[in-house]
Amino acid sequence: MSSPPSPARPGDLDARLAQNAEAIEALLETLLSAEPAAGELTRPARLVAAMRHGALGGGKRLRPFLTVETAGLFSVPAAQARRAGAAVELLHCYSLVHDDLPAMDDDDLRRGRPTVHKAFDEATAILAGDALLTLAFAVLAEQATHESGAVRAALVGALARASGCGGMVGGQMLDLAAEGRFEARREALPEAEIRRLQAMKTGALLAAAVEIGARLGGADAAALVALGRYGRALGATFQIADDILDVESDAGQMGKATAKDEGKGKATLVGALGLAGAKRERDRLSAEAVAALSGFGPAADVLRAAARFAAQRKS
Ligand code: GRG
């Protein structure tokens, strides 16, 4: 059996992120192979190619990193932690493929490459997103992810709640509504509603990545509460940083279009608080995430570093 990741110092973050990204890439490569998995009939070549385009060869792999590092606090075997992390990443990749579609954000560039509907076509991109989404749950449900059926069901539930109607998909719906897609908006969204929208659209999946690592490790109620606080604060930090990068960064650096939020009338905390206010709030939330880990000792240093990274990231 493979060994769990060893505790890391904050300075190890870049190396740990890179090491994890490599391991997740290798696992995704296997999960997205042309060969049907047990119980499947066949895998259409065009669909597999589009799924691979959407999921392989890019991205920071931050969500699986959070799952693996949280699971590491509880000495979960690395192979199990990586499978759970890969499931969260598959779900994230589906959301990016669908978010880029003409009916959503209509983007041509993602992770420095043409978006899936540009490289293939819209119908294929919709199906590739659907198939990445369902594969995520298939991976969690398999025994290789955890020997206990009850734990596997808890993982499936956590991912479904975070990504569905009351989580990411619901947040995307609120985001489109805030843009005035369905009826003309007369006023800007109140700050509290922007925060809730962002907690759903972006924060819920990042928090679930942490929760899944904790549940995989059999965390007790107190640890789940503390890690829940960490995950939510980290998710909010990450989204404000994204709003700030949309204003301050460029497409070359980000691998996707920037300076889109204001033109589209997006509800962002930069809009609500101003750039300086949003930076202060980003740093406050990052500190809140770090504080939530006070009971975990040096083993959680890399998660603390991840919260600082979420605030300071450049892409
Ligand atoms: C379409 C169902 C559906 C949901 C869309 C993911 C999402 C919800 C929207 C993406 C829009 C966006 C740019 C949100 C900001 C935060 C975010 C999710 C950024 C992308 O995540 P990163 O930076 O990307 O982790 P990589 O490429 O590194 O994985």
Side-chain angles (χ1 to χ4, degrees):
M1 201 177 271
S2 46
S3 55
S6 52
R9 293 183 309 278
D12 293 333
L13 182 70
D14 285 352
R16 290 294 274 264
L17 268 169
Q19 186 189 43
N20 176 73
E22 198 180 317
I24 293 296
E25 183 79 16
L27 179 53
L28 290 174
E29 173 72 45
T30 311
L31 294 169
L32 293 168
S33 87
E35 291 305 309
E40 293 180 350
L41 300 178
T42 186
R43 290 188 165 194
R46 184 175 177 82
L47 185 57
V48 173
M51 291 166 75
R52 291 173 64 87
H53 185 93
L56 297 179
K60 296 178 285 299
R61 310 300 194 196
L62 181 61
R63 291 154 193 81
F65 177 78
L66 292 170
T67 302
V68 167
E69 293 294 346
T70 305
L73 295 177
F74 303 93
S75 301
V76 172
Q80 292 186 345
R82 284 183 191 138
R83 282 182 63 85
V88 181
E89 183 68 13
L90 285 166
L91 197 135
H92 168 61
C93 293
Y94 125 73
S95 79
L96 299 180
V97 172
H98 280 194
D99 187 63
D100 291 334
L101 286 166
M104 298 270 183
D105 237 14
D106 194 12
D107 275 309
D108 296 350
L109 194 65
R110 170 69 67 182
R111 293 175 165 173
R113 291 183 306 168
T115 48
V116 177
H117 67 275
K118 282 283 164 192
F120 293 81
D121 62 276
E122 250 179 87
T124 303
I126 291 170
L127 293 174
D130 292 341
L132 290 167
L133 163 66
T134 43
L135 181 59
F137 289 101
V139 170
L140 287 185
E142 277 162 21
Q143 196 156 16
T145 303
H146 197 278
E147 50 284 1
S148 156
V151 169
R152 299 200 303 275
L155 305 186
V156 166
L159 189 61
R161 278 189 298 279
S163 60
C165 183
M168 184 184 75
V169 172
Q172 179 78 349
M173 191 73 200
L174 295 177
D175 201 28
L176 296 181
E179 276 180 22
R181 287 266 193 131
F182 311 118
E183 51 190 65
R185 282 198 59 81
R186 283 180 299 278
E187 297 142 23
L189 214 59
E191 184 190 325
E193 287 186 34
I194 299 175
R195 286 182 193 266
R196 188 179 57 181
L197 178 167
Q198 296 192 338
M200 292 169 72
K201 187 180 97 164
T202 315
L205 189 61
L206 285 157
V210 174
E211 182 186 345
I212 284 171
R215 290 197 181 277
L216 201 50
D220 63 19
L224 283 171
V225 167
L227 289 165
R229 272 185 57 213
Y230 167 78
R232 285 190 298 278
L234 178 121
T237 304
F238 186 88
Q239 178 60 58
I240 301 193
D242 205 73
D243 294 350
I244 294 167
L245 285 167
D246 183 75
V247 178
E248 291 198 326
S249 186
D250 60 43
Q253 200 174 332
M254 292 292 281
K256 65 176 185 180
T258 54
K260 290 187 67 177
D261 291 350
E262 197 181 347
K264 287 198 143 203
K266 284 246 185 233
T268 75
L269 285 179
V270 172
L273 306 175
L275 191 54
K279 286 183 179 174
R280 277 194 300 276
E281 182 57 6
R282 173 198 66 189
D283 296 342
R284 187 191 70 76
L285 284 161
S286 165
E288 187 178 314
V290 171
L293 297 175
S294 61
F296 290 92
D301 277 354
V302 75
L303 289 176
R304 295 183 183 95
R308 296 187 193 99
F309 166 81
Q312 298 306 327
R313 68 199 179 93
K314 302 281 178 259
S315 69

